[in-house]
Amino acid sequence: MKYLYAFFFLFYCLCILVSESHAQNNKGSLITGDFQAITIEQLVEQLEKRTAYHFYYDTAQFDSLHIEMISVTDQPLSTVLQKAFENTVYNFSIYKNKQVFLTKGLMVKTELPENFYNKPVSGSQKLKTDTVTNFLEQGRNVLKATLENKIYEIGDKAAPKTMGNASVAGYVRDVKTGEPVIGASIFLENSRIGVATDQFGYYSFSLPKGRHVMNLQSIGMKDTKRQLMLYSDGKLDIELQTQVMTLKNVIVSAEKASNVKGLQMGLQKIDIKTIKQVPVVFGEADLLKVLLTLPGVKSVGEASTGLNVRGGSTDQNLILFNNATIYNPSHFFGMFSAFNPEVVKDVELYKSSIPARFGGRLSSVVDINSREGNKKDISGSAGIGVLTSRVNIEGPLVKDKSSFILGGRATYANWLLNLLPDQYKNSRAGFYDVNLNINHQVNEKNTIYFTGYLSKDRFNLNTDTVYNYGNRNVSFKWKHIFSNKMNSIVTTGYDQYTYNISSEKNPVNAYKMSFDINQAYLKVHFNYYLNTKNNVDFGLNSIYYKMHPGSYLPLGTKSLVAPDIMPAEQALESALYASDRYTITDDFSIEAGVRYSLYNYLGPKQVNNYAPGFPKTEANIIDKTSYHKGDFIKTYKGPEFRLSARYALSPNSSIKAGYNTQRQYIHMLSNTAAMAPTDVWKLSDPNVKPQYGDQVSVGFYQNFKSNTIETSVEVYYKNIKDYLDYKSGAVLVLNQHVETDVISTRGKAYGVELLVKKLTGKLNGWISRSE
């Protein structure tokens, strides 16, 4: 019997121990205290300190909630929250892993409905719940953020809780097509930390660990935000929805206050939707014609797409189409630009403070980006116009990983020429262009791109003389992501511009005259996001030129024309560059960069030597020097400096200043002010020096009415040295010693540019003026 008593005694003691242990465990979850006249942030902070629970909520939804008085003694968390939200629209849900979700007007479901797996559910029924998504960066996994009311946990939650920063990176894409969103602004709520996506829709920035709300704005997309909890480095891909506008708004910048907050001066960004809204001749959207409406940009003449930017000549503009150089951007006597509007995504015009990654031209850079194509579904469009027709098709090759876009245009404008006076009735003209873009995401860190472009023009003006000219461009691009903070873009390609003139009406005098310029290039660009204050770009560029300055050959077996062939020219232009965007304070930031360019004129070549101290004339040629293939005949080199600064006077106004120097090693020789098919290009050599220019500019920027009206005033002063002018009666075509017919000159340009843009409302657009 004594053993039975002993057993009951031990069982009793064990029950007491278990009861006390349970009470101690509950004591850690029970709350005692008075909470008086506090906000939800203060309440959550105190509750997280006293318990093991973690709270998730949108601070913007709780900004009007103030807790007057709560007094509890050894009460569970649910009782405290019930008292706090009593007679309000706010709710709470407690998940089993000690996560608490606070919501307004809805209830978060933390468990599946009863008999969920036993109940058949039709395809149209959906479980409507709000969730919290956790993401640990593990190899292939990438978190995709699509909803505003989710909280995305970035990084390893189990990582040591240390202070400091962590990096977030990812792609911003269109939720409907999967295409990247270029130039989207991403910035933190209640902070001036922000970045913009690059030409691939990629972003990367460093944030303090903890809870953040990211705001996103982009052209044609709905403004949205994403909530995240940052534990360590991680990736977050974001999908945006297209904005359906009830009014036809003209929006030129991605961020509503980008003209005030951005560091770049003399930069204009225009997307294709805006370009299509601007009325142009024959209803054909024309990218370059829209650029002519911007301050500081003027036309070289009627029926021409040549641009004069801040007093510069047409050859001083670097026109890039997906990093490929376009030497003649016009069709049909300059009435149309050579870019299919159905393929173009946006265009950026740099007039001053040109980034260090660009070089080779004095006046401006026109950087045109094309669309990547729909990654979700096959789609297309076609159009028939008065003078042209176009068609394009796009779609996925591998859904959500690769896509293509193929577009083409052609003209049937001969009917229009038949309406001209009799002296032009036998004229004929036509053109076509074809674009093909393919991209493929190999994995999270590697994406490859292919771009092909072909354009061709052919016309004659009531004579048998036929003019042909065109562009051929192909490029391959590889983007590699080393980490959230560093990525690289390697681009290689081949560009060609060619023209020829032929006549065979008289077989004895039949001829063909032609010219072409070819270039192969390699560009390696790195971006390193050092921290929230420093964003570093660096890289190298190299271009190999091979030019045939002209040939005059007999056409047909009966032709008696004497052949005349200009010797080919070769050169190598290379550059190393680095720049840093440095945020000194929230109001003051600078960007400083240097680009060191090196130019080598290469053999084989015979170079004319002139008597020293005398003008370069044919009579003063004393001898010639012969160089073999690969010889370095002449080397030009030197640094180019880039500097810009911004100081915010208020949230809606700022002043900026910029200074940059440029070197240009290639020259266009033309007898006309406008770009013409017969223009030839000349490389710098021992007798033709490269052009050099520097520019200083200052601007004031002010926004009104919640950033819906933008105004700016920019003043600039530019010096140009060794710009080529022509002697009276100069012969520019098939000239074996063209340096005798040109003169190196100096020039200057200065002016003031005014711009007013109204972005929304029934009346919208912009007004600009240059003096």
Side-chain angles (χ1 to χ4, degrees), residues 597-602 632-637 665 685-686 690:
S597 64
L598 176 67
Y599 174 85
N600 298 291
Y601 189 68
L602 306 175
F632 284 14
I633 300 175
K634 181 66 176 179
T635 298
Y636 295 100
K637 58 187 177 181
Y665 301 102
D685 61 21

Side-chain angles (χ1 to χ4, degrees), residues 38-56:
I38 61 175
T39 64
I40 189 66
E41 290 89 350
Q42 295 169 331
L43 176 63
V44 167
E45 183 179 359
Q46 294 188 34
L47 293 178
E48 286 185 334
K49 288 180 179 178
R50 300 185 186 193
T51 68
Y53 289 95
H54 188 74
F55 287 74
Y56 299 90

Side-chain angles (χ1 to χ4, degrees), residues 28-43:
S29 298
L30 298 178
I31 301 169
T32 299
D34 296 330
F35 307 94
Q36 184 176 1
I38 61 175
T39 64
I40 189 66
E41 290 89 350
Q42 295 169 331
L43 176 63

Side-chain angles (χ1 to χ4, degrees), residues 683-724:
L683 296 172
S684 294
D685 61 21
N687 296 312
V688 177
K689 295 181 179 180
Q691 302 178 53
Y692 176 84
D694 61 349
Q695 179 181 190
V696 60
S697 53
V698 179
F700 173 75
Y701 306 82
Q702 174 74 56
N703 289 355
F704 301 94
K705 293 188 175 181
S706 301
N707 296 316
T708 60
I709 298 178
E710 299 179 359
T711 63
S712 65
V713 179
E714 291 189 18
V715 180
Y716 66 89
Y717 185 91
K718 180 164 59 175
N719 280 308
I720 301 174
K721 186 173 66 173
D722 292 321
Y723 173 74
L724 293 185

Side-chain angles (χ1 to χ4, degrees), residues 57-63 145-152 185-189 211-217 222-228 236 238-240:
Y57 65 102
D58 182 0
T59 56
Q61 293 183 346
F62 286 80
D63 57 0
T146 59
L147 299 177
E148 292 186 349
N149 55 358
K150 285 186 178 181
I151 298 177
Y152 299 90
S185 296
I186 306 174
F187 54 96
L188 295 188
E189 200 169 76
R211 177 73 181 277
H212 299 286
V213 177
M214 293 195 313
N215 290 279
L216 294 97
Q217 295 178 341
K222 289 183 179 179
D223 291 356
T224 186
K225 60 186 175 182
R226 296 293 182 267
Q227 303 180 56
L228 59 90
L236 182 70
I238 303 172
E239 293 187 334
L240 301 183

Side-chain angles (χ1 to χ4, degrees), residues 74-87:
D74 291 337
Q75 295 296 321
L77 176 64
S78 58
T79 301
V80 177
L81 295 178
Q82 285 175 358
K83 290 179 176 292
F85 296 159
E86 190 174 5
N87 299 322

